[in-house]
Amino acid sequence: MRKVLLVILSVISFQVLAYDGWSAGKVEKIRIQSNRILITQQDASNPGNCPNTDYIYLSQGETAYHKNMISALLTAYATGNKVRLALLGCSGGYPNISEVWVE
């Protein structure tokens, strides 16, 4: 019984620490560079207290995960929809996007 309780508590604590927080709003600008994508977002937040808040950072990549996130951001930008960005840590001093939800 103790082992089951320990596993449950471990899973719950991992989920609580999964993100620094969320940023929600419309995508205002998207800057695509060779190794990263920088966006600006209306009413952006910085839950991880990253030193540079001019942009929010998304790494470039060839995986479906990366391609799907940039596609969702471009779609939200083109349609004017709001997005929720799960932010985790800092990359290059910017808040790092780890998940995209289009609203």
Side-chain angles (χ1 to χ4, degrees):
M1 183 66 173
R2 287 183 184 175
K3 288 182 183 181
V4 172
L5 183 58
L6 181 61
V7 169
I8 291 171
L9 289 175
S10 296
V11 170
I12 291 171
S13 65
F14 176 76
Q15 290 176 345
V16 170
L17 300 174
Y19 307 113
D20 292 334
W22 295 85
S23 185
K26 290 184 178 184
V27 176
E28 294 177 334
K29 298 177 187 172
I30 299 176
R31 182 177 179 184
I32 300 174
Q33 298 177 327
S34 62
N35 62 342
R36 64 184 181 179
I37 298 165
L38 300 173
I39 73 160
T40 59
Q41 183 186 36
Q42 180 183 39
D43 301 322
S45 64
N46 182 16
N49 296 315
C50 298
N52 193 335
T53 58
D54 294 338
Y55 296 99
I56 301 173
Y57 176 95
L58 176 64
S59 63
Q60 284 271 32
E62 292 298 317
T63 65
Y65 168 76
H66 287 99
K67 290 179 181 180
N68 290 340
M69 285 200 299
I70 187 59
S71 294
L73 288 169
L74 289 169
T75 300
Y77 176 75
T79 60
N81 286 356
K82 290 183 179 181
V83 293
R84 281 190 186 274
L85 305 173
L87 302 175
L88 178 60
C90 306
S91 293
Y94 304 108
N96 185 55
I97 301 169
S98 61
E99 191 173 307
V100 176
W101 291 15
V102 179
E103 295 182 344

